[in-house]
């Protein structure tokens, strides 16, 4: 895959950069990480404040608006009517049954090359029109129910505990979806795409596995973030939020979601880079110790030869 090749080149460039990092003054073989750490400054403090605020808003912030008793009662009444009304459920169930029956009838006559075969060339358009009618009726009932739910949500507002809780549940649902997506991608990469060549060292293969998994989880979590932002727009529309209020809520919710994704993805890459750093440091110390022992060994051999 093109992005897999890009990951391999990026990892190679990172290792090359780490090999060129300046040594400590005592020249003991240890690698300085000063250049890898962010330097304090206005940008760093701004990012830190944004990140902390986002995590606080996602995990700990309480709803800033408390609905009145009348609004609470209206919310529960409308939700009860929309979700638990026996008449509405029966009517919607009947519409769904009629739609399934019409679809089954269409599937019976929808054969290959039906346009050129009789009587299918006549039956398929008729039954397709029946499916379209039943689908329109079912969607009309669904829109009525969704309108009641939207009216109930609008009575309490997006800033209430109902809106805040729904947005959090939406984010965590998309988060789990992105994580599952990354797991599936990693599984199939290991099964079909990641292997050890005949001339490849084990360290290279493990490094490629780590890079592949990091990229998969990055794609998964970023995809989850994008999906959540689209879902957030739908939630704001369902609560009938005003333009300014909706824009402010969208900014806060997007900040919280982005901060969480940055925490997870940044933690993964920090752990991976830290592991590579430790391996590189140990290898550098081993080479240094081997270089110090070699002259002593040669000196002893020469001393024995002279005697």
């Amino acid at each position: 895959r093109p992005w897999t090749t890009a990951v391999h080149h990026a990892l190679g460039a990172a290792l090359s950069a780490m090999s060129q990092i300046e040594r400590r003054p005592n020249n003991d073989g240890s690698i300085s990480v000063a250049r890898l750490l962010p330097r304090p400054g206005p940008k760093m403090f701004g990012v830190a404040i944004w990140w902390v605020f986002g995590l606080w808003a996602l995990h700990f912030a309480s709803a800033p608006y408390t609905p009145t008793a009348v609004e609470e009662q209206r919310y529960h009444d409308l939700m009860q009517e929309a979700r638990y009304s026996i008449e509405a459920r029966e009517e919607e169930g009947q519409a769904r049954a009629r739609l399934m029956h019409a679809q089954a009838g269409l599937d019976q006559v929808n054969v290959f090359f039906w346009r050129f075969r009789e009587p299918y060339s006549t039956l398929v358009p008729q039954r397709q029109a029946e499916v379209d009618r039943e689908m329109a009726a079912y969607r009309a009932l669904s829109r009525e129910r969704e309108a009641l739910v939207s009216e109930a949500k609008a009575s309490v507002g997006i800033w209430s505990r109902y809106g805040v809780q729904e947005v959090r549940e939406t984010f965590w649902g998309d988060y789990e979806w992105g994580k599952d997506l990354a797991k599936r991608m990693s599984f199939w990469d290991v099964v079909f795409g990641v292997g050890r060549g005949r001339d490849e060292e084990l360290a290279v293969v493990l490094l490629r596995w780590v890079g592949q998994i990091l990229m998969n989880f990055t794609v998964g979590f970023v995809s989850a973030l994008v999906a959540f932002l689209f879902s957030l727009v739908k939630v704001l529309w369902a609560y009938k939020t005003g333009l300014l209020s909706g824009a402010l809520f969208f900014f806060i919710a997007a900040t919280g979601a982005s901060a969480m994704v940055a925490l997870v993805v940044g933690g993964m890459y920090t752990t991976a880079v830290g592991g590579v750093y430790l391996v590189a440091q140990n290898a550098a110390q081993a080479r240094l110790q081997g270089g110090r022992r070699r002259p002593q060994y040669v000196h002893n051999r020469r001393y024995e030869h002279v005697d």
Side-chain angles (χ1 to χ4, degrees):
R1 302 177 186 177
W3 54 268
T4 304
T5 305
V7 171
H8 296 164
H9 288 305
L11 289 174
L15 291 176
S16 177
M18 291 184 66
S19 64
Q20 298 177 3
I21 296 176
E22 60 182 2
R23 303 283 178 174
R24 293 180 182 176
N26 54 12
N27 198 24
D28 58 353
S30 59
I31 301 176
S32 174
V33 295
R35 294 185 178 180
L36 298 179
L37 298 177
R39 296 181 180 180
K43 293 183 179 180
M44 177 182 174
F45 288 119
V47 172
I49 292 173
W50 165 84
W51 179 65
V52 172
F53 172 76
L55 293 179
W56 172 81
L58 178 63
H59 294 279
F60 305 108
S62 58
Y65 175 71
T66 302
T68 63
V70 176
E71 294 172 341
E72 290 268 3
Q73 187 62 38
R74 178 174 173 78
Y75 171 81
H76 290 295
D77 291 342
L78 291 175
M79 292 297 290
Q80 183 78 15
E81 182 180 356
R83 295 183 176 179
Y84 304 107
S85 175
I86 297 177
E87 296 179 357
R89 291 175 62 183
E90 289 181 354
E91 189 175 1
E92 188 173 354
Q94 293 174 0
R96 186 186 300 109
R98 291 194 300 268
L99 175 61
M100 294 177 64
H101 183 268
Q103 185 64 48
L106 175 62
D107 294 339
Q108 291 177 356
V109 298
N110 192 9
V111 298
F112 288 106
F113 304 107
W114 60 267
R115 296 180 183 274
F116 309 100
R117 299 170 60 181
E118 292 291 344
Y120 303 109
S121 60
T122 304
L123 292 175
V124 170
Q126 294 177 354
R127 299 194 179 184
Q128 181 64 54
E130 183 181 357
V131 169
D132 294 339
R133 288 194 300 269
E134 297 299 336
M135 177 65 73
Y138 176 73
R139 289 179 175 176
L141 292 175
S142 299
R143 285 194 296 268
E144 292 179 2
R145 180 177 57 83
E146 292 174 357
L148 286 176
V149 173
S150 179
E151 188 68 24
K153 293 179 178 179
S155 63
V156 293
I158 191 65
W159 296 96
S160 65
R161 59 187 178 93
Y162 302 101
V164 173
Q165 183 64 27
E166 182 175 353
V167 170
R168 284 173 174 165
E169 292 176 355
T170 302
F171 169 75
W172 290 117
D174 291 331
Y175 177 88
E176 291 296 328
W177 170 81
K179 185 170 65 175
D180 293 338
L181 174 64
K183 289 180 180 179
R184 290 193 298 269
M185 293 171 61
S186 300
F187 173 78
W188 292 115
D189 284 337
V190 171
V191 171
F192 295 107
V194 179
R196 180 178 179 182
R198 181 173 300 178
D199 299 331
E200 288 183 327
E201 297 181 356
L202 180 60
V204 177
V205 176
L206 293 177
L207 186 62
R208 189 169 71 247
W209 282 358
V210 171
Q212 192 81 30
I213 292 173
L214 287 175
M215 180 55 64
N216 289 340
F217 275 89
T218 301
V219 172
F221 286 125
V222 172
S223 300
L225 177 61
V226 174
F228 167 72
L229 295 180
F230 280 100
S231 301
L232 180 59
V233 174
K234 295 181 180 179
V235 173
L236 293 174
W237 182 266
Y239 277 84
K240 299 181 179 180
T241 310
L243 181 60
L244 295 179
S245 179
L248 179 60
F249 191 94
F250 183 89
F251 171 76
I252 296 175
T255 298
S258 303
M260 187 63 195
V261 171
L263 174 64
V264 176
V265 175
M268 291 190 306
Y269 279 94
T270 301
T271 303
V273 172
V276 174
Y277 164 73
L278 291 178
V279 171
Q281 186 180 32
N282 293 334
Q285 292 180 352
R287 288 194 300 267
L288 183 60
Q289 293 176 0
R292 290 176 178 176
R293 287 195 297 266
R294 186 174 180 180
Q296 183 179 1
Y297 174 75
V298 174
H299 175 73
N300 292 338
R301 291 291 300 269
R302 290 178 177 178
Y303 179 79
E304 292 175 0
H305 178 71
V306 172
D307 289 345

